[in-house]
Amino acid sequence: MPSTDARLLLSAVVPTAAVGAIATVVSGIVAGGKGAIGAVLGTLVVILFMGIGMLVLQRTAKKLPQLFQAMGLLLYTTQLLVLFVFLALLKGTTVFDFKAFAFTLLAATVVWVAAQARAYMKAKIAYVEPEKTGSKP
């Protein structure tokens, strides 16, 4: 993984994990052990889904740059739909507190997207590949 990709991934993972830790503590206080488990699972789902999506998007951008924007929109839409499916499937669970899971999932997703947008705005990524000097056409 190139250093730029790793930096972009890390700049989204760290704030998301921090929000997940805060949500785990709050959920543990409010809903007990099941709330903490729900918050941890919600954070892990977001980090895994969004992280895998970001890696797929970076590979697509390198191999097929003309599809980057369309792939990004399709990817984020798909990720949100899959997260809603997760919520629908796990709604009646008794293994963990569903409300803690759902609110953590929402908060972690918002933080991930905001952190990723900030990271892309601050990144110095060349949009045009410079010509190699000394080469003749």
Side-chain angles (χ1 to χ4, degrees):
M1 173 185 296
S3 64
T4 305
D5 294 348
R7 237 183 333 213
L8 290 172
L9 185 62
L10 191 62
S11 64
V13 169
V14 170
T16 304
V19 165
I22 293 168
T24 301
V25 170
V26 170
S27 297
I29 292 169
V30 172
K34 286 189 175 189
I37 292 170
V40 168
L41 289 176
T43 304
L44 289 177
V45 166
V46 169
I47 289 174
L48 287 175
F49 273 32
M50 297 297 192
I52 290 169
M54 189 174 180
L55 292 175
V56 168
L57 191 59
Q58 290 300 326
R59 288 190 180 178
T60 301
K62 287 185 183 13
K63 292 182 184 188
L64 301 166
Q66 67 274 16
L67 294 179
F68 180 71
Q69 186 175 13
M71 182 69 172
L73 291 171
L74 178 67
L75 180 69
Y76 288 127
T77 303
T78 304
Q79 285 175 329
L80 290 176
L81 288 173
V82 170
L83 289 176
F84 284 131
V85 168
F86 251 96
L87 288 173
L89 289 174
L90 297 174
K91 189 172 186 178
T93 188
T94 58
V95 176
F96 55 85
D97 186 63
F98 179 73
K99 286 184 181 180
F101 175 76
F103 283 121
T104 303
L105 196 74
L106 176 65
T109 300
V110 169
V111 168
W112 179 282
V113 171
Q116 188 177 8
R118 183 179 184 275
Y120 274 106
M121 286 189 300
K122 293 184 132 292
K124 306 271 192 261
I125 301 172
Y127 293 101
V128 177
E129 296 292 326
E131 288 187 33
K132 295 182 181 182
T133 58
S135 64
K136 294 182 182 178

